[in-house]
């Protein structure tokens, strides 16, 4: 019965996306600007630049209205039916008690902010750009002034790769991409990806505004599976039929526009609205269906970064499962293996940050511990509450 439902759900999703793809060919979400305004710093402050970022402003306004409307409708439903209240809570997957920030988490945020800034404006400000080395993260390749290329375009358009680049550049492309995947794995998702930063910022905004987040369950994560597989098939397959994955990628709505580069938004504009609204209520929603993250995750067994577990120290409290924005359950259920690294793990460190047992969980690089669970750090979040009491 479950398999039939999943097949039906996959079929419906495919029909919807293909319908959107058909209309995207004739009806752009928003078309604006010439090919590029980002040729000098002077134009960043020009009227043309303001016109260029207008679509991003429109997306932000629509997303804000969508968040307000969603929160209002959800609260109205909860008032009418208390039975639905269990679906929503301040704590849930990807959410955890406020506590004193660990140095590791501070460094993660600083790295995400710095990398995103350099990917968007680095080439424009410093005139530095590497056209051969590619990072497998969603830093939009349409932004032709970023410092380092993203590998997503040529991975989803292999025909263009072999037709446009000489053999030497093709070899450098694959070697650099595989090298970063092996060395970093999905650390790139948790530390480098600009789309990850956007979603984490949305999660912070929700917490600051004290809006209750949606607490996902296993059914929700199961629903993500057919969507993720469709995105993967779309990522690899659309180029062979003359399509363009960039028309579906929400990343194109951010990096090029902020750099002052004019592009046309098709289905990608609508998907970015979905990412912003969904990311507000469910942390790292897009990461659960991201095709590039899935590709990187396939190599998780050879990555230098690992999540380690001391099963003897684990008390089965489930805090790691509640905190995980990717809904990884094995990190909580595993009772024998020390290596609990999963393909979907983005190495954000939330499970370690929320683990109340010393050394029960740790993030390692080449066998050396970088971040370890600490009871002291977890209890720091409850100190203010005890003082008030």
């Amino acid at each position: 019965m479950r398999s039939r439902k999943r097949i039906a759900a996959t079929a419906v999703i495919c029909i919807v996306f293909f319908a959107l793809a058909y209309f995207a060919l004739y009806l752009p979400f928003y078309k604006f600007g010439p090919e590029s305004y980002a040729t000098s710093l002077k134009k960043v402050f020009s009227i043309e630049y303001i016109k260029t970022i207008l679509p991003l402003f429109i997306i932000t306004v629509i997303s804000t209205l969508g968040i307000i409307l969603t929160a209002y409708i959800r609260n109205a439903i909860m008032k009418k039916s208390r039975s639905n209240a269990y679906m929503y809570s301040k704590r849930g997957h990807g959410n955890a008690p406020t506590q004193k920030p660990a140095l590791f988490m501070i460094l993660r945020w600083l790295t995400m902010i710095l990398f995103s800034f350099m990917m968007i404006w680095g080439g424009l400000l410093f005139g530095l750009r590497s056209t051969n080395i590619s990072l497998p993260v969603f830093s939009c390749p349409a932004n032709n002034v970023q410092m380092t290329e993203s590998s997503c375009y040529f991975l989803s358009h292999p025909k263009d790769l072999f037709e446009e680049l000489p053999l030497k550049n093709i070899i450098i492309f694959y070697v650099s991409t595989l090298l970063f995947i092996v060395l970093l794995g999905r650390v790139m998702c948790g530390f480098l990806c600009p789309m990850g930063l956007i979603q984490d910022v949305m999660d912070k905004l929700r917490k600051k505004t004290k809006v209750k987040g949606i607490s996902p369950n296993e059914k929700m994560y199961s629903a993500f599976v057919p969507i993720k597989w469709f995105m993967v098939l779309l990522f690899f397959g659309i180029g062979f039929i003359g399509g363009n994955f960039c028309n579906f990628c929400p990343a194109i709505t951010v990096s090029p526009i902020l750099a002052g580069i004019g592009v046309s938004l098709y289905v990608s504009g609508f998907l970015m609205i979905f990412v912003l609204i969904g990311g507000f209520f469910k942390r790292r929603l897009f990461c659960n269906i991201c095709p590039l993250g899935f590709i990187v995750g396939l190599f998780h067994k050879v990555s230098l970064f690992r999540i380690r577990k001391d099963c003897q120290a684990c008390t089965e409290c489930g805090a790691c499962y509640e905190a995980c924005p990717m809904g990884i359950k094995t990190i909580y259920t595993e009772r024998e293996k020390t290596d609990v690294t999963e393909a979907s793990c983005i190495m954000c460190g939330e499970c370690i940050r929320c683990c109340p047992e010393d050394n029960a969980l740790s993030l390692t690089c080449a066998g050396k511990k970088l971040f370890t669970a600490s009871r002291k750090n977890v209890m720091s979040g409850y100190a203010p509450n005890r003082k008030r009491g």
Side-chain angles (χ1 to χ4, degrees), residues 112-175:
M112 282 195 300
I113 293 171
L114 177 62
F115 184 83
S116 296
F117 179 85
M118 295 303 291
M119 290 299 294
I120 296 172
W121 294 291
L124 181 64
L125 294 175
F126 303 105
L128 301 174
R129 186 164 182 262
S130 174
T131 56
N132 292 328
I133 298 176
S134 300
L135 288 173
V137 294
F138 270 135
S139 53
C140 185
N143 180 359
N144 55 22
V145 296
Q146 62 187 1
M147 292 185 66
T148 305
E149 274 193 340
S150 172
S151 58
C152 60
Y153 180 81
F154 283 125
L155 286 175
S156 60
H157 301 77
K159 183 179 178 182
D160 293 347
L161 173 66
F162 291 99
E163 288 182 354
E164 296 180 9
L165 299 183
L167 180 60
K168 178 183 176 181
N169 287 25
I170 294 173
I171 294 174
I172 293 175
F173 169 80
Y174 279 113
V175 170

Side-chain angles (χ1 to χ4, degrees), residues 76-384:
I77 293 174
M78 288 177 64
K79 287 181 180 179
K80 291 182 179 180
S81 176
R82 291 185 179 181
S83 62
N84 290 333
Y86 75 93
M87 295 176 62
Y88 311 101
S89 65
K90 289 185 178 179
R91 292 188 65 188
H93 299 274
N95 303 295
T98 302
Q99 57 190 249
K100 184 179 179 181
L103 177 61
F104 175 86
M105 306 305 291
I106 295 174
L107 291 175
R108 188 177 78 85
W109 272 93
L110 290 176
T111 303
M112 282 195 300
I113 293 171
L114 177 62
F115 184 83
S116 296
F117 179 85
M118 295 303 291
M119 290 299 294
I120 296 172
W121 294 291
L124 181 64
L125 294 175
F126 303 105
L128 301 174
R129 186 164 182 262
S130 174
T131 56
N132 292 328
I133 298 176
S134 300
L135 288 173
V137 294
F138 270 135
S139 53
C140 185
N143 180 359
N144 55 22
V145 296
Q146 62 187 1
M147 292 185 66
T148 305
E149 274 193 340
S150 172
S151 58
C152 60
Y153 180 81
F154 283 125
L155 286 175
S156 60
H157 301 77
K159 183 179 178 182
D160 293 347
L161 173 66
F162 291 99
E163 288 182 354
E164 296 180 9
L165 299 183
L167 180 60
K168 178 183 176 181
N169 287 25
I170 294 173
I171 294 174
I172 293 175
F173 169 80
Y174 279 113
V175 170
S176 62
T177 300
L178 288 173
L179 183 64
F180 279 109
I181 289 176
V182 172
L183 292 178
L184 300 179
R186 293 202 72 173
V187 163
M188 289 180 287
C189 302
F191 281 76
L192 304 182
C193 184
M195 287 296 293
L197 174 63
I198 292 171
Q199 294 177 87
D200 281 349
V201 168
M202 295 303 295
D203 179 67
K204 289 291 183 182
L205 287 174
R206 179 187 64 78
K207 291 177 180 178
K208 290 294 183 181
T209 54
K210 298 181 179 180
V211 177
K212 292 182 179 180
I214 295 177
S215 181
N217 50 39
E218 292 185 33
K219 288 185 178 180
M220 177 177 288
Y221 286 111
S222 296
F224 288 150
V225 174
I227 302 176
K228 178 178 67 177
W229 278 109
F230 177 79
M231 292 293 286
V232 171
L233 292 174
L234 189 70
F235 184 84
F236 282 112
I238 195 169
F240 290 101
I241 58 175
N244 187 0
F245 180 77
C246 297
N247 290 340
F248 299 87
C249 179
I252 201 172
T253 66
V254 181
S255 179
I257 295 176
L258 289 176
I261 298 171
V263 295
S264 295
L265 307 182
Y266 294 83
V267 178
S268 55
F270 293 100
L271 286 181
M272 190 61 196
I273 295 173
F274 164 77
V275 170
L276 292 176
I277 296 175
F280 183 84
F281 292 100
K282 161 68 178 77
R283 186 182 174 196
R284 293 279 184 148
L285 177 67
F286 180 71
C287 293
N288 285 271
I289 60 174
C290 174
L292 197 56
F294 171 81
I295 295 167
V296 176
L298 294 177
F299 298 86
H300 74 285
K301 291 186 180 297
V302 295
S303 172
L304 296 178
F305 290 85
R306 322 298 300 168
I307 298 294
R308 303 283 182 180
K309 178 178 180 179
D310 183 349
C311 296
Q312 298 294 327
C314 177
T315 57
E316 305 180 30
C317 66
C320 55
Y321 181 47
E322 283 193 18
C324 180
M326 304 300 289
I328 301 173
K329 196 171 184 178
T330 52
I331 197 171
Y332 158 59
T333 58
E334 182 59 53
R335 295 292 173 263
E336 296 180 0
K337 297 179 181 179
T338 57
D339 187 349
V340 290
T341 312
E342 290 288 323
S344 57
C345 178
I346 59 175
M347 301 291 171
C348 63
E350 288 296 328
C351 57
I352 300 171
R353 182 176 72 89
C354 297
C355 179
E357 302 302 329
D358 291 333
N359 301 314
L361 289 174
S362 59
L363 187 150
T364 66
C365 177
K368 295 184 177 181
K369 292 183 179 181
L370 301 179
F371 185 35
T372 305
S374 169
R375 176 180 288 273
K376 181 180 179 181
N377 289 343
V378 172
M379 294 307 294
S380 68
Y382 298 96

Side-chain angles (χ1 to χ4, degrees), residues 67-80:
I67 289 170
I68 295 172
L69 181 62
T70 302
Y72 175 79
I73 294 174
R74 190 190 65 176
N75 289 336
I77 293 174
M78 288 177 64
K79 287 181 180 179
K80 291 182 179 180

